[in-house]
Amino acid sequence: MALPDPAIPAADDTPLAWHADSADSAARRLGVDSRHGLSNDEAASRLSRHGLNRLTETPGKPAWRRFAAQLTQPLVLVLIAAGVITGGLGETVDASVIFGVVLINAIIGYWQEAKAEGALAALARGVTTPVTVRRGGHRKQLDASQLVPGDVVMLAAGDRIPADLRLIQQHELHTDDSMLTGESQAVSKAAEPLPADTLLADRVNMAYAGTTVVGGQGAGLVIATGDATETGRIAGLIAAAPDLVTPLTRKMATFSNWLLWAIGGLALLTVAIGLARGGSAFDMFIAAVALAVGAIPEGLPAAVTVTLAIGVARMARRRTIIRHLPAVETLGSTTVICSDKTGTLTENAMTVRVLWCGGEGYAVGGHGYAPDGTIVHDEMPAEISGAVRECLIAGALCNDASLNREGQHWKITGDPTEAALLVAARKGGLDEHTLQALYPRHDVLPFDANRQFMATAHGDNAGGVIYVKGALERLLPRCIDQLGANGQTVPVDGMAIEKAACAYAGQGMRVLLLARRDFNPGQNSALNADAIEKLTLIGLVAMIDPPRKAVIGAIRNCHSAGIRVKMITGDHAVTAQAIARQIGLSAERALTGRELALLDDVALIKVAHEVDVFARVEPEQKLRLVRALQARGEVVAMTGDGVNDAPALKQADIGIAMGLAGTEVAKEAAAMVLTDDNFASIEAAVEEGRGVWDNLVKFITWTLPTNFGEGLVIVAAILFGATLPITPLQILWINMTTAVLLGLPLAFEPIERGIMHRAPRRLDMPVLDAHLIRRIVLVSFLLLAGAFGLFLRELEQGHTLAEARTVAVNVFVMVEMAYLFNCRSLTHSFWKQGLFSNPWIWAGIGSMLALQLLLTYWPPLNAAFQTAPIGWQEWLEIGAFAWLASLIIAIEKYGSNRARST
């Protein structure tokens, strides 16, 4: 009789808790004899029903729609309007330039969006791997995509788990689940059933797609493939996370919409006034076109792109790669950084911190797997002898890991805990290869989850020694004496040992007990658990995945910048709190994933704000935490490196992935990648982000008075019935040349001192505050007074219309040059930035002067732009007015600073 296929449970069935099922019961539910596996025919039938073991890639928008979407943004619409108007005036060259900027912006935006859609593809690649299965009573190798529920998969060290498995047998099986759970240590697996409410990270009888086997062997039943796996569920979370609009794009969209309405309304009002005064419809149309061309800041979208791109280049030099341009500015708005612990705040390298031998503690220095550091006792280098030496020898020999140097980095093979013991031995001057030659291994009793210890026998027929390492609660009762500091045996002091172990465990460290006993190889044919009795305790080893060196300072700087840092990890609460205390986070309370699951959304919003440490957190809970913080109006940056971090990385206002230890999935889901995996680089990135925003505001504050001033000149001419002081073509000349040569150099302004002591910008804060708006209005009216006044003066003195207009054009350019220095800092005098700290400013001014001289004196440009040569007296008048305008602006800036400080 055919066994049932578990594809679709009956309507009254509840979802199977596979980890709570016994191995035999799971096999019956899956309709398979685990000793023989599925038949080929049954496997083919199930494959046709369940489909390939691959993640479904959600189809994205068609390429043409993604490209078209880039052209509907308000800033781009402003540019398109300017291009249409310019083309309508017959100026095909200027129109081509404007549409060229539109095209470049659209291409950049399209490319960035296409890159962002690679997250699901990276997940799909992550589960494609060769796999060994048992089918029809025989072992065979096939591609992981061919797996179906009910397959029996064979596992060995180095394998990547191809699907979600219920383990049915294992022998010293250890897996690295950090990419899914955030757990920093290798997980020892078992096959026995577990309570139904066991959390994902604690389901040791399960193996999940995408994780890896670091040691031992085993076999498991496939319970889920493709989208039904835990990895597939995370893929669904990634796909469901919306593409959030950044603070920059929100503010620029609002600003541009306001600008469009203001320009349109002013143009209509001007036409109405002109017609009411008896002007012709054609003249009023030309005036309206001139007004629109003048008021539209054609260079603004290009300036935003260039400023962000310069920020990207600066960040690359500071070990940060930006994948989406708006992320540069978003960093400057960040109010909360949600950071994973393992590999982000910590080294992701287990490190021995303390040796407890002979009743005394010995501190072990150094970081990570590099064997650099000293062993210290009473603040002096310790003598490596007696119990300390024996402790290091035991840790190095009762060990299956290996440590190798590859270039500038040290790499490990095997369990990170065992690798940490090798590193500690090298710090004490003991090399494991030499020790293995001196004390050849005779036998081994591998670590077992039930025994909770490992033992190795070393020696020859003349005599030998058994070294044991494992859990204190299992090995301490087997110890009959212990080594003193001088290497002599003394009675066991159980209370002192347990007190020391509890103290280290309270600091978030993992504590191992090391012991030994002599044995005669000739009388023991095989090492077994019965031989692990009457031990001599050597000492305790306490280890932890330590914080990165620069993290403490980086978090302190984030706090001074008004940015809260929260740890969200899959690791245990005690470990998380210990690390939090070391790096300067509030560790009074750590909330676990089990506790989070009991909170509704309203309660979670409150807790997310108050608590800084979250432990044993699952992927959906990371997502909930990010959303809870965003619900409070926070701008959230989320760091991470594993697959389990990807949904939260995408949901966050800015996702930050680790470049070295991060999975491809995390990198594709993130907007920013740290090339050195150093949390401290985030601080540098925040500083750059704030500098980018500063420079964008400087450009906007500099460019708008020109546009408003040109509009005011047109409006004044219509109100007074005067000839237009500047033509639409001359306005285009001013706008296009000054935006490139004078405005864009502001993007290269160095970061102002003290920028990291400012509070983050509030989301409701507009691009321009009241002080800057007042300054823009002031400069606009100064341009109106200078250009219109000198234009009328030239006409009164008998100069031609072309000469008068040439003076007006040069007034705009010279005042813009003077105003440019005031915009190098919006709050301080420009010389505080350093007169030559931005050489691009001087290069732009020199180039602009050269162009103005050509516009004024070169006959071809005179003919094209209706200009004419002017004399030195006119230049003196232009220069005097520019100087006066600069003085007035400096006085206004001083007054604004006084007002801000009160």
Side-chain angles (χ1 to χ4, degrees):
M1 184 176 69
L3 292 169
D5 179 4
I8 304 176
D12 58 349
D13 286 347
T14 56
L16 297 177
W18 294 103
H19 60 278
D21 239 0
S22 68
D24 290 339
S25 176
R28 286 193 298 272
R29 288 175 184 256
L30 287 164
V32 63
D33 181 347
S34 59
R35 294 171 298 176
H36 296 87
L38 297 173
S39 67
N40 291 330
D41 290 343
E42 177 63 17
S45 174
R46 293 190 183 191
L47 185 64
S48 66
R49 293 195 298 273
H50 294 279
L52 294 174
N53 179 30
R54 290 177 180 166
L55 298 180
T56 301
E57 295 187 37
T58 305
K61 291 184 295 186
W64 69 268
R65 286 187 60 188
R66 289 205 307 269
F67 186 79
Q70 310 301 322
L71 304 177
T72 60
Q73 301 172 21
L75 286 177
V76 177
L77 290 176
V78 172
L79 272 185
I80 292 174
V84 170
I85 294 170
T86 308
L89 292 172
E91 300 300 325
T92 56
V93 174
D94 295 308
S96 299
V97 171
I98 294 174
F99 286 123
V101 172
V102 171
L103 182 62
I104 291 171
N105 283 339
I107 291 173
I108 292 174
Y110 171 82
W111 180 75
Q112 294 287 348
E113 185 176 338
K115 288 276 288 180
E117 292 185 354
L120 295 181
L123 277 166
R125 291 193 298 272
V127 296
T128 302
T129 182
V131 62
T132 301
V133 300
R134 187 184 295 151
R135 282 188 178 175
H138 302 284
R139 287 192 177 207
K140 63 184 300 185
Q141 192 171 66
L142 45 80
D143 188 87
S145 63
Q146 303 299 308
L147 285 178
V148 296
D151 263 325
V152 180
V153 176
M154 318 306 295
L155 301 173
D159 287 350
R160 175 176 291 223
I161 310 296
D164 285 0
L165 309 178
R166 170 58 170 93
L167 297 175
I168 56 176
Q169 62 187 55
Q170 62 87 29
H171 181 68
E172 319 302 340
L173 184 67
H174 291 72
T175 62
D176 179 0
D177 295 349
S178 60
M179 56 84 71
L180 187 65
T181 66
E183 176 69 61
S184 59
Q185 301 175 10
V187 179
S188 176
K189 295 296 183 177
E192 291 74 21
L194 296 168
D197 62 349
T198 304
L199 294 177
L200 178 73
D202 297 322
R203 295 172 189 172
V204 294
N205 59 8
M206 303 289 294
Y208 294 105
T211 61
T212 55
V213 179
V214 297
Q217 297 177 335
L221 293 166
V222 175
I223 61 155
T225 60
D227 293 338
T229 64
E230 285 296 320
T231 301
R233 189 168 54 84
I234 293 174
L237 294 174
I238 296 174
D243 293 319
L244 297 183
V245 181
T246 69
L248 173 66
T249 52
R250 283 195 295 266
K251 288 186 170 81
M252 286 293 107
T254 302
F255 176 74
S256 301
N257 286 329
W258 172 83
L259 194 59
L260 282 172
W261 284 105
I263 292 170
L266 188 59
L268 290 175
L269 179 63
T270 302
V271 170
I273 293 174
L275 291 174
R277 290 180 57 87
S280 68
F282 177 78
D283 289 341
M284 291 306 97
F285 174 75
I286 294 297
V289 168
L291 174 61
V293 171
I296 292 173
E298 293 90 349
L300 182 55
V304 170
T305 301
V306 170
T307 304
L308 293 176
I310 291 169
V312 168
R314 286 177 172 175
M315 288 185 181
R317 291 193 291 270
R318 301 180 77 169
R319 304 183 184 278
T320 303
I321 297 174
I322 297 296
R323 298 185 63 252
H324 308 299
L325 285 181
V328 180
E329 183 277 332
T330 308
L331 279 165
S333 306
T334 299
T335 59
V336 176
I337 298 175
C338 296
S339 176
D340 186 27
K341 177 184 72 68
T342 305
T344 307
L345 297 172
T346 66
E347 299 277 359
N348 196 21
M350 291 299 292
T351 304
V352 173
R353 279 281 172 251
V354 179
L355 302 174
W356 190 88
C357 306
E360 299 180 351
Y362 296 77
V364 183
H367 291 271
Y369 295 123
D372 303 319
T374 57
I375 300 175
V376 177
H377 180 57
D378 289 337
E379 300 183 358
M380 296 291 291
E383 181 180 352
I384 309 302
S385 62
V388 174
R389 178 181 174 84
E390 191 67 8
C391 187
L392 296 175
I393 292 175
L397 291 179
C398 189
N399 200 310
D400 287 328
S402 62
L403 181 68
N404 299 288
R405 185 165 189 164
E406 296 180 9
Q408 299 297 316
H409 301 283
W410 289 87
K411 302 292 185 181
I412 68 164
T413 302
D415 188 281
T417 298
E418 294 190 328
L421 294 173
L422 296 181
V423 175
R426 292 201 185 191
K427 291 174 181 178
L430 302 174
D431 179 82
E432 69 271 16
H433 302 294
T434 303
L435 292 174
Q436 290 163 5
L438 292 172
Y439 308 97
R441 180 180 290 189
H442 174 76
D443 203 352
V444 61
L445 184 64
F447 180 87
D448 180 83
N450 293 321
R451 287 193 301 267
Q452 295 187 0
F453 63 78
M454 171 185 179
T456 54
H458 303 266
D460 51 32
N461 291 332
V465 61
I466 296 174
Y467 286 117
V468 188
K469 76 170 189 296
L472 178 139
E473 59 269 21
R474 292 302 180 94
L475 292 179
L476 184 57
R478 300 171 186 248
C479 295
I480 60 173
D481 53 24
Q482 71 182 73
L483 288 183
N486 59 2
Q488 301 298 316
T489 58
V490 298
V492 174
D493 187 348
M495 292 184 60
I497 295 168
E498 291 181 353
K499 181 179 179 181
C502 288
Y504 299 140
Q507 298 173 36
M509 297 189 193
R510 183 182 184 187
V511 180
L512 295 178
L513 184 148
L514 297 175
R516 59 167 289 170
R517 62 160 291 187
D518 295 332
F519 87 114
N520 187 340
Q523 298 177 359
N524 296 273
S525 58
L527 186 61
N528 56 61
D530 293 336
I532 311 304
E533 296 290 346
K534 299 180 180 180
L535 301 174
T536 297
L537 184 143
I538 301 173
L540 304 178
V541 176
M543 61 183 69
I544 197 170
D545 181 12
R548 290 180 176 273
K549 293 180 181 178
V551 162
I552 298 173
I555 288 178
R556 184 169 55 247
N557 290 340
C558 285
H559 287 165
S560 69
I563 301 171
R564 294 190 66 181
V565 180
K566 296 180 181 293
M567 179 193 297
I568 304 177
T569 178
D571 218 334
H572 292 280
V574 173
T575 304
Q577 284 180 288
I579 295 294
R581 281 191 289 267
Q582 293 179 44
I583 62 179
L585 295 183
S586 173
E588 297 176 3
R589 182 185 179 190
L591 209 64
T592 64
R594 192 184 297 275
E595 294 171 308
L596 286 176
L598 301 177
L599 300 177
D600 60 24
D601 290 342
V602 174
L604 183 62
I605 291 173
K606 182 175 184 293
V607 166
H609 173 70
E610 295 174 348
V611 179
D612 285 348
V613 180
F614 300 89
R616 304 306 272 174
V617 175
E618 298 189 3
E620 299 97 324
Q621 293 171 334
K622 291 186 178 184
L623 206 55
R624 284 189 70 204
L625 283 168
V626 171
R627 288 171 175 164
L629 289 167
Q630 290 172 333
R632 285 184 55 90
E634 307 283 5
V635 178
V636 182
M638 171 74 189
T639 72
D641 55 7
V643 172
N644 63 322
D645 297 320
L649 288 174
K650 188 178 179 186
Q651 172 67 37
D653 295 280
I654 177 167
I656 307 171
M658 303 298 110
L660 295 177
T663 62
E664 287 302 312
V665 178
K667 295 175 190 175
E668 291 290 345
M672 187 175 98
V673 178
L674 301 181
T675 61
D676 60 354
D677 287 13
N678 195 336
F679 182 89
S681 296
I682 300 175
E683 178 210 343
V686 169
E687 184 180 42
E688 289 290 351
R690 293 186 173 191
V692 164
W693 176 259
D694 258 14
N695 290 346
L696 280 174
V697 174
K698 289 172 185 177
F699 177 87
I700 294 170
T701 305
W702 172 83
T703 194
L704 287 187
T706 301
N707 301 111
F708 292 166
E710 290 164 343
L712 289 174
V713 166
I714 303 300
V715 171
I718 294 172
L719 290 176
F720 292 107
T723 305
L724 292 180
I726 46 178
T727 67
L729 194 57
Q730 290 169 348
I731 290 174
L732 276 175
W733 167 273
I734 295 170
N735 291 352
M736 300 302 287
T737 56
T738 57
V740 173
L741 296 177
L742 299 182
L744 288 184
L746 287 172
F748 294 90
E749 275 298 307
I751 296 172
E752 293 190 36
R753 286 188 291 271
I755 198 170
M756 287 299 286
H757 294 291
R758 306 176 191 171
R761 291 188 317 278
R762 300 191 315 273
L763 285 179
D764 59 354
M765 185 181 294
V767 176
L768 303 171
D769 62 21
H771 296 285
L772 295 181
I773 291 174
R774 185 172 62 231
R775 188 175 306 164
I776 289 170
V777 171
L778 171 64
V779 178
S780 300
F781 277 96
L782 286 173
L783 286 168
L784 167 65
F788 204 93
L790 289 180
F791 170 77
L792 295 177
R793 175 181 170 81
E794 294 302 305
L795 291 179
E796 289 174 359
Q797 292 181 347
H799 293 284
T800 65
L801 179 61
E803 290 173 333
R805 283 175 167 168
T806 302
V807 169
V809 169
N810 279 299
V811 166
F812 268 95
V813 173
M814 294 302 170
V815 172
E816 282 186 86
M817 286 183 187
Y819 182 42
L820 180 64
F821 287 101
N822 280 287
C823 287
R824 291 192 61 198
S825 174
L826 298 176
T827 55
H828 300 100
S829 301
F830 72 87
W831 57 77
K832 286 192 175 182
Q833 284 290 89
L835 196 58
F836 299 101
S837 60
N838 184 359
W840 291 102
I841 292 285
W842 295 102
I845 288 175
S847 301
M848 194 68 235
L849 285 172
L851 281 181
Q852 285 305 111
L853 290 175
L854 287 174
L855 181 72
T856 304
Y857 297 107
W858 194 35
L861 287 182
N862 291 155
F865 288 91
Q866 303 174 30
T867 57
I870 57 177
W872 63 269
Q873 284 186 321
E874 285 72 33
W875 282 112
L876 283 178
E877 292 172 350
I878 293 169
F881 184 82
W883 178 85
L884 177 62
S886 179
L887 180 61
I888 293 172
I889 295 166
I891 294 171
E892 185 279 332
K893 184 192 291 187
Y894 177 78
S896 293
N897 289 342
R898 291 285 299 272
R900 282 192 180 99
S901 61
T902 57

